[in-house]
Amino acid sequence: MSVNKEIKRVTTHTLQDMKGRGEKISMLTAYDYTMATIVDAAGTDVILVGDSASNVMAGHETTLPITLDQMIYHASSVVRAAKRALIVVDLPFGTYQGNSKEALNSAIRIMKESGAHAVKLEGGVEIAESVSRILTAGIPVMGHLGLTPQSIYKFGTYTVRAKEEAEASKLKEDALKLQELGCFGIVIEKIPAALGKEVSESLNIPTIGIGAGQYCDGQVLVIHDMLGLNKGFKPRFLRQYANLYDDMNKAIQNYVNDVKGGSFPNEKEQY
Ligand code: KIV
């Protein structure tokens, strides 16, 4: 195995230390080699091979259709690219909810076949047995609470979760349970900022927020959203750092015009 000694790999321990000294954690999704190369080189601490690949890569309406084989394909491309970031991979819908043995087998396949460093599962106490079994095999687990997109048909909408006391207290209990089981971090999605703060302060492990306010220990965004590749998607929590849809559209239109007009290729662009 060749080891690059100049770049120090981010580990779950690095994230814990970052929380300890109050240094925020940056996390972004990536699903392919080229994008992961850029995300990693820019200094992102954690790359999430999210099941949002189902939406942004495959064009499905929800995250439910993506398969374990497809997640492994995306994850292995990211693993070949990223030299520094910790790589976390979503266990897709239907590969861990059934029973803990199936969950362990799914997690093992991801670790063995992609070379990623950790897995992420959606849910709290109801998936405790699966989380525990995966952890027992030495596989780091990240939790995911709040708006959990694999349960979209139960929720009915993508609106803010845990605004009511009952759901908020269940979320707090779930977060403590996931910590107690040994998760190294928890993504908390689309919940009130005050709850994001309370959960983050109550845990020793880092929270990574998406639409969960400024007090989380880190933040995650879907790369296509923050780069402005998804033209119509503009939720309040999203800060858009580029406008790549328009930039790419313009570049491609210029190319099409050059080809049609006969100015590409010119004499310097041929052999
Ligand atoms: O799949 C995904 O991209 C995610 C993030 C939204 C946290 O789970």
Side-chain angles (χ1 to χ4, degrees):
M1 192 178 78
S2 73
V3 176
N4 188 331
K5 296 207 175 73
E6 277 153 42
I7 300 171
K8 202 156 183 273
R9 175 74 73 178
V10 175
T11 68
T12 57
H13 302 279
T14 319
L15 304 185
Q16 188 62 62
D17 292 345
M18 287 169 83
K19 168 146 182 157
R21 55 176 188 269
E23 182 183 340
K24 297 274 188 180
I25 298 163
S26 57
M27 174 159 149
L28 281 171
T29 66
Y31 321 94
D32 68 86
Y33 179 85
T34 304
M35 195 70 97
T37 304
I38 300 168
V39 170
D40 188 58
T44 313
D45 299 311
V46 184
I47 297 183
L48 172 66
V49 184
D51 58 0
S52 49
S54 179
N55 310 104
V56 297
M57 299 301 286
H60 292 295
E61 207 177 303
T62 72
T63 58
L64 276 67
I66 200 160
T67 66
L68 189 56
D69 284 337
Q70 288 165 341
M71 289 303 295
I72 290 169
Y73 167 78
H74 287 299
S76 6
S77 307
V78 169
V79 166
R80 284 191 286 277
K83 306 282 176 272
R84 175 181 172 274
L86 177 82
I87 302 165
V88 181
V89 183
D90 268 336
L91 280 193
F93 177 68
T95 66
Y96 63 95
Q97 294 93 343
N99 63 62
S100 62
K101 191 163 176 227
E102 190 187 2
L104 176 60
N105 288 340
S106 305
I108 288 178
R109 277 202 63 203
I110 287 190
M111 301 299 282
K112 231 179 161 65
E113 296 176 41
S114 76
H117 311 129
V119 294
K120 174 165 83 59
L121 281 71
E122 294 183 7
V125 286
E126 56 288 337
I127 56 154
E129 199 184 309
S130 294
V131 169
S132 238
R133 198 151 180 178
I134 296 170
L135 284 164
T136 310
I139 300 171
V141 176
M142 178 170 247
H144 185 157
L145 298 171
L147 177 64
T148 46
Q150 292 179 13
S151 305
I152 188 57
Y153 291 118
K154 184 176 90 180
F155 297 146
T157 74
Y158 286 98
T159 50
V160 180
R161 304 302 317 171
K163 288 205 279 194
E164 309 301 330
E165 186 45 42
E167 195 177 336
S169 54
K170 158 97 168 84
L171 189 144
K172 287 186 260 181
E173 275 166 39
D174 283 341
L176 286 171
K177 182 71 182 174
L178 291 172
Q179 169 171 276
E180 182 193 309
L181 291 170
C183 287
F184 70 86
I186 305 177
V187 165
I188 44 177
E189 180 164 353
K190 229 169 169 188
I191 59 167
L195 180 59
K197 180 174 194 276
E198 198 184 335
V199 172
S200 303
E201 287 174 356
S202 73
L203 297 178
N204 301 318
I205 57 171
T207 57
I208 310 289
I210 172 162
Q214 60 186 307
Y215 299 104
C216 296
D217 302 303
Q219 297 294 327
V220 58
L221 287 175
V222 169
I223 190 79
H224 290 63
D225 301 341
M226 63 87 78
L227 292 178
L229 281 162
N230 269 342
K231 221 172 163 38
F233 186 65
K234 290 197 194 306
R236 191 204 291 200
F237 70 77
L238 174 64
R239 187 177 295 180
Q240 201 179 302
Y241 287 85
N243 202 350
L244 290 197
Y245 182 98
D246 287 339
D247 292 350
M248 289 173 75
N249 185 269
K250 202 164 187 187
I252 294 163
Q253 277 185 31
N254 288 341
Y255 164 76
V256 170
N257 289 339
D258 288 355
V259 169
K260 290 192 181 290
S263 69
F264 176 78
N266 62 25
E267 57 289 350
K268 288 193 200 129
E269 292 162 330
Q270 60 195 8
Y271 299 99

